[in-house]
Amino acid sequence: MFCYQCETAAKGTGCDKVGVCGKQATTSDLQDLLVYTVKGISFWANLAREKGAKDSAIDRFVIEALFTTVTNVDFDDDSVAKVVSEAVAYRNQAQALFEKANGGAYNGQVPPAAQAWDFPADRAAQLALAQLHGVKDPAIDPDVQSMRSTILFGIKGYAAYADHAIILERESDEIYAFTHKALSQLLDDSLGLMDYVGIAMETGRINLVTMELLNKAHTDRYGHPVPTPVQLGTKAGKAILVSGHDLRFLEELLIQTEGKGINIYTHGEMLPAHGYPGLKKYAHLVGNYGGAWQDQHKEFQAFPGAIIFNTNCIQRPAENYKDRLFTWGRVQFPDIKHVEGWDFSAVIDCALACEGFEDNPGQEILTGFGHNAVLGVADKVIEAVKSGAIKHFFLVGGCDGAKPGRNYYTEFAEQAPKDTVILTLACGKYRFNKMEFGDIGGIPRLLDIGQCNDAYSAVQIAVALADAFDCGVNDLPLSFILSWYEQKAVAILLTLLHLGIKDIKLGPTLPAFITPNVLNFLVENFNIAPISTPEEDLKQILG
């Protein structure tokens, strides 16, 4: 085992015995083999596309398989092994697709990942094979390996967003084509460091395309988010807690629980769902329970109902809520009940059998400040900047996590001057979203833009402000203070770099897969810097 794709990489270098996330070495090895096989699929699918042939089943499978390997998604060896077996079949299918379009076999060099090999039925043999195809290859230049990893993790990140879009019946051939081409290029030893830098920047562009696709899927189906107060207390009745990111999942659950006396609560990245008109119309979507994903052990024990994960962020469950926990979609955990398809009757029955909540109203917080809502009052924002009432904007957000050092983001938000506005997104907001920041001329100082994929909204807001002031985004009084944890954050960072955004501060630590030379490149070209202290960073930004 060697895994360094998330921020909690052991000793700042990588997990080699068991994942800090809880992933076992066997699961990690099988996921490595899955990625290796997906690269092989992509080699053939890319060649087939060059001949005008494609297969939507192959395209979707590659996205779903990559999402399976994202941090805190699938912890189940049997589940991952099943996906590897499917991947081998899709690799053969992709090769046959190319050969049919080509009118014969490929006459070039086929990399080992794309060659014909079978997946053993025996688990010990599966793991022995998997251990041959780990993350690191000592024969590859470390800087090239660093860029290959950055690209792979960025693709994994946008695969999660593409999967949500697929569930909403939105797809893009541009995303599929790039994914196959980029993954096949990770097998190409003729490419050098700067070739991979270019592919990384293109990965950022494709993530922007993916986030835009998902944003349109969300807003076409549920309407544009509107500023909405969300109750953090509880309402009398049976309860289901929904954790994850997938809005279609939430909609289906709301439909199936309507009129059953069950209240639905959001958790983690599901909080922004309350801002969508097409979801907030359900009266039994009553509030948000708990905070960020890393607090689930403590919070779930006290939740007297059923709990279901629909995307990543699951942790090893505690025994006292394990029997009330369900997974859906790509998320799986050993010995946890998994819901296939759209029938949530088992979850509903569990909720009805549980004790449920009593009335206990609590604090309300605001969400729903997507780009449509913010740009709807753009004239007020622009006037506030021109008059000097708003001196600066900070985008403070990203992934949260349990590793020490993340109190920086709480303190940064607390210390930001009262003539500044804080934009926030993703679960990093839980570090400060229950605090009172007041407003500037009726504009709330804290604007919750949404989930991590709603970085698209943040980009749209920044571009609109730059247009209004006839300047570039880097000339705006706007600073990016980002926290990262897993691969979706890598994809978003690459998008910001693709857009040429500079002076980003990143923490709580820098990625273990970034070598000193690659970091140097980022510093020299984009002035990326690690966070220091809130006091020092505010002084440096504001002067």
Side-chain angles (χ1 to χ4, degrees), residues 20 59 90 105 128 132 134 157 189-190 194 203 229 232 264 276 297 322 339-340 361 372 403 425 429 436 442 496:
V20 174
D59 294 339
Y90 275 113
L132 300 175
D189 291 333
S190 72
M194 292 313 296
T203 303
L232 301 184
I264 306 298
Y276 289 90
H297 277 161
K322 194 175 180 180
V339 176
E340 297 286 354
N372 196 64
K403 197 171 178 180
L425 50 78
K429 69 169 70 78
E436 179 54 56
L496 296 177

Side-chain angles (χ1 to χ4, degrees), residues 143-165:
D143 296 329
V144 168
Q145 180 69 61
S146 176
M147 287 311 305
R148 283 183 174 182
S149 295
T150 302
I151 293 162
L152 173 62
F153 300 154
I155 294 173
K156 284 188 181 190
Y158 76 61
Y161 302 143
D163 183 70
H164 300 323

Side-chain angles (χ1 to χ4, degrees), residues 7 12 41 97 133 135 193 243 262 318 394 408 419 470 483 523 534:
E7 191 266 335
I41 296 172
L97 181 70
H133 303 296
V135 173
L193 182 60
S243 189
I262 298 174
F394 295 106
Y408 165 93
D419 55 5
D470 194 23
S483 55
V523 171

Side-chain angles (χ1 to χ4, degrees), residues 153 204 220-221 255 259 263 266-267 280 290 307 309-310 332 355 358 370 382 426 446 453 467 476 482 529 541 543:
F153 300 154
D220 283 353
R221 190 175 181 112
I255 291 168
N263 293 320
T266 56
H267 174 264
K280 63 183 289 187
I307 305 161
F309 276 90
N310 61 64
Q332 297 214 35
E355 182 180 349
E358 295 182 356
I382 292 164
L446 180 65
N453 54 278
D467 288 345
L476 288 170
L482 305 181
I541 291 166

Side-chain angles (χ1 to χ4, degrees), residues 406-434:
R406 290 182 180 269
N407 58 313
Y408 165 93
Y409 297 95
T410 309
E411 294 168 8
F412 189 98
E414 285 179 315
Q415 294 178 32
K418 303 210 179 293
D419 55 5
T420 62
V421 171
I422 301 167
L423 309 172
T424 192
L425 50 78
C427 59
K429 69 169 70 78
Y430 283 105
R431 289 282 165 175
F432 47 78
N433 69 338
K434 297 179 180 68

Side-chain angles (χ1 to χ4, degrees), residues 76-118:
D76 188 277
D77 286 5
D78 291 340
S79 167
V80 179
K82 180 183 175 185
V83 184
V84 178
S85 179
E86 292 171 350
V88 170
Y90 275 113
R91 182 207 62 209
N92 296 341
Q93 189 174 321
Q95 181 176 355
L97 181 70
F98 163 74
E99 290 176 349
K100 182 179 178 181
N102 189 51
Y106 182 60
N107 60 5
Q109 185 176 356
V110 178
Q115 293 171 11
W117 53 269
D118 294 322

Side-chain angles (χ1 to χ4, degrees), residues 338-390:
H338 186 73
V339 176
E340 297 286 354
W342 297 101
D343 180 3
F344 300 121
S345 55
V347 184
I348 292 168
D349 290 345
C350 177
L352 291 172
C354 290
E355 182 180 349
F357 278 115
E358 295 182 356
D359 265 323
N360 185 23
Q363 178 186 358
E364 286 188 337
I365 58 174
L366 282 172
T367 191
F369 291 96
H371 65 276
N372 196 64
V374 174
L375 298 181
V377 294
D379 55 339
K380 288 179 65 176
V381 174
I382 292 164
E383 182 52 42
V385 174
K386 287 181 175 177
S387 70
I390 296 177

Side-chain angles (χ1 to χ4, degrees), residues 162-170 221 246 248-249 310 328-329 342:
D163 183 70
H164 300 323
I166 291 169
I167 290 168
L168 287 164
E169 300 177 344
R170 297 297 179 92
R221 190 175 181 112
D246 200 276
R248 169 80 185 279
F249 170 95
N310 61 64
W328 177 86
W342 297 101

